[in-house]
Amino acid sequence: MTSEPAHELHELTTEQANTASRQIDCLSAVEIARLMNAEDATIATAVATEIAAIGAAIEGIVARMEQGGRLIYIGAGTSGRLGVLDASECPPTFRTAPGQVVGWLAGGTRVLTHASERLEDDAQAGWDAVAELNIDARDSVVGLSASGRTPFVLGAIDAATERGAFTIGVACNRPSLLAERVQVMIAPVTGPEVIAGSTRLKAGTAQKMILNMLSTGVMIKLGKTFGNLMVDVKASNVKLQVRAIRIVREATGLEREEAAAALEAANHETKTAIVAVLAGISAEEARALVSSAHGSVRVALGEIAPCQ
């Protein structure tokens, strides 16, 4: 398992020098910030070219998660850290089950704060990660690599493919070795970085935007929201408890004290409280209704709150 020859790196747009920032070390602090902001303004446009692919990825992930599969991000360096970040935010935001969304970083959790970029060159470690995760055909594996050539990620994708998983690639170069290996490729071409080769900048921002869309889109389709309300929020601290009350108020029109009482009666289950109030039933009946609707408030309410 060998990596792409190093001399081919210069062909990647993410490795090229940005003509707009050649004299960046001569600029004032304000001018540096202005230049970076102007470059960042191009990122959303680059991501917009990949919307169809992002949608296809969401649909594929949802289909497998409905069968009990997992969403697994695998990457190295900045890309891998972004995957871990997105995965770690799903439980408090969407009440995902432990292990339902996984971020796997080359080198493990220590690399979150102690960079060891040489680890990305180990393709066998990618194969080993897939084996350790026990990935199967129900799982969706997202390979994250700004360059699209990271050996660790390529190894993981090859191993996941062998096991029948749904594979998605996220890179900021096109074409790429990663694109040749996955079922869905998401590749916004963000161009040269303000600091040549520093893909934690535009490429990192683009990947974060894409991961936001993937996980949020998947959770919406799985019934984790009601409209744009975060009804599966896990109220694990004071801020989130206040948010849960506000969500019940916005969904039902209740006053604060009434919403708090409805949540208390529903054992602080936001979905249960909303359905109980809107359907005029007990918390126990509402809980059963939500369960039979596979967690979707919209489905549980049926004709009471149809999509317009």
Side-chain angles (χ1 to χ4, degrees):
M1 299 178 185
T2 58
S3 64
E4 181 186 6
H7 70 267
E8 295 184 12
L9 281 169
H10 76 275
E11 299 177 3
L12 303 177
T13 60
T14 50
E15 293 294 322
Q16 294 171 9
N18 190 323
T19 57
S21 60
R22 287 194 186 277
Q23 301 289 324
I24 195 169
D25 60 333
C26 298
L27 302 180
S28 69
V30 169
E31 289 169 332
I32 290 170
R34 184 177 294 117
L35 174 57
M36 293 185 69
N37 180 248
E39 288 293 313
D40 287 347
T42 68
I43 299 170
T45 299
V47 172
T49 66
E50 301 301 301
I51 292 300
I54 294 169
I58 290 170
E59 294 290 353
I61 295 166
V62 169
R64 286 156 182 79
M65 291 191 85
E66 288 179 334
Q67 301 302 314
R70 297 168 292 172
L71 169 57
I72 300 169
Y73 299 126
I74 293 184
T78 296
S79 299
R81 294 183 192 99
L82 289 169
V84 171
L85 173 63
D86 196 77
S88 69
E89 291 177 341
C90 286
T93 307
F94 299 112
R95 202 188 287 262
T96 54
Q100 191 174 15
V101 183
V102 178
W104 192 276
L105 173 62
T109 55
R110 182 180 183 280
V111 183
L112 284 171
T113 56
H114 297 80
S116 184
E117 306 304 349
R118 62 180 176 78
L119 297 169
E120 71 179 45
D121 293 331
D122 191 348
Q124 182 59 53
W127 282 78
D128 294 344
V130 168
E132 187 169 344
L133 286 163
N134 196 27
I135 286 170
D136 62 31
R138 297 173 303 168
D139 294 324
S140 301
V141 179
V142 182
L144 301 166
S145 168
S147 67
R149 61 166 296 283
T150 306
F152 173 81
V153 175
L154 298 181
I157 290 296
D158 287 344
T161 298
E162 188 174 273
R163 289 168 173 257
F166 177 50
T167 57
I168 301 155
V170 178
C172 293
N173 286 282
R174 184 186 292 274
S176 70
L177 294 177
L178 182 57
E180 297 172 3
R181 288 167 159 81
V182 297
Q183 291 164 270
V184 176
M185 188 66 205
I186 303 169
V189 179
T190 50
E193 299 286 1
V194 168
I195 303 301
S198 183
T199 52
R200 72 183 186 88
L201 300 175
K202 291 194 296 182
T205 300
Q207 289 177 88
K208 179 65 170 71
M209 291 173 70
I210 290 164
L211 296 185
N212 285 348
M213 292 181 189
L214 289 179
S215 58
T216 304
V218 166
M219 295 304 156
I220 291 169
K221 299 298 287 183
L222 289 174
K224 296 288 189 176
T225 67
F226 178 45
N228 63 358
L229 299 177
M230 198 162 47
V231 292
D232 239 342
V233 63
K234 183 178 181 181
S236 54
N237 62 23
V238 173
K239 179 187 75 173
L240 295 177
Q241 290 167 5
V242 172
R243 182 178 295 167
I245 292 172
R246 186 173 69 250
I247 288 169
V248 173
R249 291 188 64 190
E250 291 192 21
T252 64
L254 293 178
E255 295 298 325
R256 188 187 186 287
E257 294 74 15
E258 296 172 316
L263 270 170
E264 183 71 27
N267 196 26
H268 300 283
E269 297 167 0
T270 310
K271 288 181 175 181
T272 299
I274 291 170
V275 172
V277 172
L278 293 181
I281 57 180
S282 69
E284 291 74 17
E285 292 171 311
R287 186 175 295 110
L289 199 55
V290 170
S291 178
S292 66
H294 303 288
S296 171
V297 170
R298 184 79 63 182
V299 173
L301 291 172
E303 291 304 312
I304 297 174
C307 287
Q308 299 301 317

